Amino acid sequence: IQKALQQVEAAGLLDNGFPGFAHLRVKVYRGGSEMCEVEETTFLRALEAGTPIPSMRPSHPAFSELPENTVVHSVETLASVSAIMEKGADWFAAYGNPEERGTKVLSLKGVDFPGIIEVPLGTPLRKIIYEIGDGLSQGREFKLARVGGPSGGLLPEDLLDTPVGYRSLEEAGAMVGNGEILVGGLDTCVVDLVCSGASTVQAASCGRCVFCREGTVQILAILGDITRGKGKPEDLELLRELGEHMQTQSLCLLGTSAPKSLLTCLCHFEEELEAHIKKKRCPAVVCQKFVSYYISPELCRGCGECIESCPADAIDGGEGLIHVIDPLDCEKCGNCLERCPHGAVARYSGVKPRTPPKPVPIGTWRKRD
């Protein structure tokens, strides 16, 4: 950027290229890496060389401390300026819909063709996932789409016709946010996904307001207990109350959007949370506390690869014998699942599949009808 500015100044474009601006000067301020700096008041304070923390303010604040009148735009907005100046505002406004005009850059993940895309505002999520992204990767079945980044909302299949727009996504419980759309299949655990997002927000919090600083800590603690089999039925109402207060009491967008994934999870995927709490199982077979490994007697060839990979010596068997995993000794490291060349090792959560109690000769075990 600095090199480009030097070239522009050397060419005299800042002095002569913009009618009405006789002496236009551009200065670059280098800020920190804190996520909260994308919030307007935090960004303005950083320009003043102050502490990058948010403050209570009206929408679209104006600060008199800065040397000139100041407006705040994102990099994405500024990146559109050259095309608008070249082709005109009517050209840009032709994209999108009457309520929200223009385009939006998105990051698409979890599909067969992931990457950065640009679509007109108003494009339905279903079209983005199945036409542009060509559906879920590895032929998985759709379960949810997290729209808006780590703080985004979790939308089920019946909301896939929601158009991508600032108002429409807010009404659905999600947001445009950083533009990330993460698509998850049936192997995606909603509890694990919400924990991951809350952890990211917690690390990015400036710590000024209590609800953002402490709320993310409490969300992680309660969800952590649920994934470890210590969850209680009353935790769901506690999480809902906590998320609603964070939305209304946090100072900046980071805190108010932090519970979106949690609240939409409680709205659309409460049954999966209850399965973790009441049935002590993870339907997606992700949470390690509820996951166990077993060797399919129909697929095992007695090659011994799993035995060699097991650090806990939890697998019994020999040449020509169906191998068996002792669940009491198993450390759930997953090495056997990765090493088995025949696909005989699998995971389960809940009722244990029928397997031999001890190694038996291959071919002697028959699958129950």
Side-chain angles (χ1 to χ4, degrees):
I1 294 176
Q2 294 285 12
K3 184 177 180 180
L5 283 175
Q6 293 172 3
Q7 294 172 344
V8 168
E9 291 173 354
L13 294 178
L14 294 183
D15 290 327
N16 305 313
F18 298 94
F21 294 89
H23 301 286
L24 181 63
R25 290 292 177 264
V26 179
K27 184 175 181 180
V28 176
Y29 287 82
R30 182 183 291 271
S33 60
E34 291 84 356
M35 183 185 292
C36 65
E37 284 195 23
V38 302
E39 194 272 332
E40 291 173 339
T41 60
T42 308
F43 180 73
L44 290 169
R45 290 190 183 279
L47 289 180
E48 297 169 349
T51 304
I53 56 176
S55 59
M56 296 295 289
R57 87 286 189 229
S59 179
H60 307 300
F63 275 37
S64 60
E65 291 86 348
L66 293 172
E68 303 292 343
N69 293 331
T70 305
V71 292
V72 177
H73 289 301
S74 68
V75 173
E76 184 180 354
T77 300
L78 297 177
S80 303
V81 171
S82 60
I84 294 173
M85 293 181 69
E86 178 184 355
K87 299 184 179 182
D90 292 339
W91 165 83
F92 186 77
Y95 292 96
N97 53 60
E99 291 77 24
E100 296 173 329
R101 302 181 184 276
T103 63
K104 177 61 187 167
V105 175
L106 303 170
S107 170
L108 190 56
K109 302 178 180 179
V111 293
D112 260 345
F113 290 97
I116 306 299
I117 62 174
E118 185 174 6
V119 299
L121 285 168
T123 304
L125 284 171
R126 190 181 303 275
K127 180 177 181 179
I128 292 173
I129 294 172
Y130 287 101
E131 293 186 24
I132 299 176
D134 200 29
L136 276 68
S137 58
Q138 300 175 350
R140 297 176 301 156
E141 185 177 346
F142 179 88
K143 179 177 182 179
L144 59 87
R146 188 181 71 183
V147 185
S151 301
L154 308 184
L155 303 183
E157 188 171 10
D158 58 358
L159 290 178
L160 278 186
D161 293 317
T162 302
V164 172
Y166 298 93
R167 295 178 183 176
S168 55
L169 287 177
E170 283 288 344
E171 292 173 357
M175 63 178 182
V176 172
N178 65 4
E180 180 193 80
I181 299 178
L182 176 64
V183 183
L186 296 180
D187 57 347
T188 301
C189 175
V190 295
V191 184
D192 181 68
L193 192 60
V194 174
C195 280
S196 174
S199 178
T200 301
V201 175
Q202 181 192 28
S205 175
C206 72
R208 181 176 183 182
C209 62
V210 175
F211 280 94
C212 179
R213 182 183 70 237
E214 301 298 332
T216 51
V217 173
Q218 294 302 317
I219 288 175
L220 283 172
I222 297 172
L223 291 179
D225 285 343
I226 292 176
T227 60
R228 290 188 291 270
K230 300 178 181 179
K232 303 180 290 294
E234 56 266 28
D235 286 344
L236 299 184
E237 187 58 36
L238 180 60
L239 285 170
R240 184 176 287 106
E241 182 180 356
L242 176 61
E244 290 173 352
H245 281 298
M246 288 179 64
Q247 279 191 325
T248 57
Q249 303 298 323
S250 297
L251 284 178
C252 79
L253 184 62
L254 181 70
T256 57
S257 64
K260 279 187 178 293
S261 59
L262 171 64
L263 293 176
T264 50
C265 176
L266 289 168
C267 179
H268 304 298
F269 302 98
E270 187 172 356
E271 291 183 1
E272 187 163 336
L273 284 165
E274 291 178 345
H276 283 74
I277 296 173
K278 298 178 180 179
K279 299 179 181 179
K280 305 301 180 185
R281 61 181 295 267
C282 175
V285 198
V286 171
C287 299
Q288 287 288 11
K289 174 65 179 179
F290 309 124
V291 170
S292 298
Y293 292 81
Y294 77 98
I295 298 175
S296 171
E298 290 81 20
L299 299 178
C300 180
R301 295 295 177 267
C303 64
E305 287 287 335
C306 57
I307 295 178
E308 295 179 6
S309 67
C310 182
D313 294 328
I315 304 177
D316 190 12
E319 185 176 356
L321 298 177
I322 296 174
H323 298 348
V324 178
I325 299 177
D326 187 343
L328 298 179
D329 293 335
C330 179
E331 295 181 349
K332 304 180 181 180
C333 63
N335 289 348
C336 54
L337 180 65
E338 298 177 2
R339 286 282 298 274
C340 179
H342 307 291
V345 182
R347 297 181 300 176
Y348 71 94
S349 179
V351 180
K352 180 182 178 182
R354 184 170 177 261
T355 56
K358 60 182 181 179
V360 296
I362 293 175
T364 61
W365 182 259
R366 290 291 179 264
K367 189 174 182 179
R368 178 181 292 174
D369 292 339

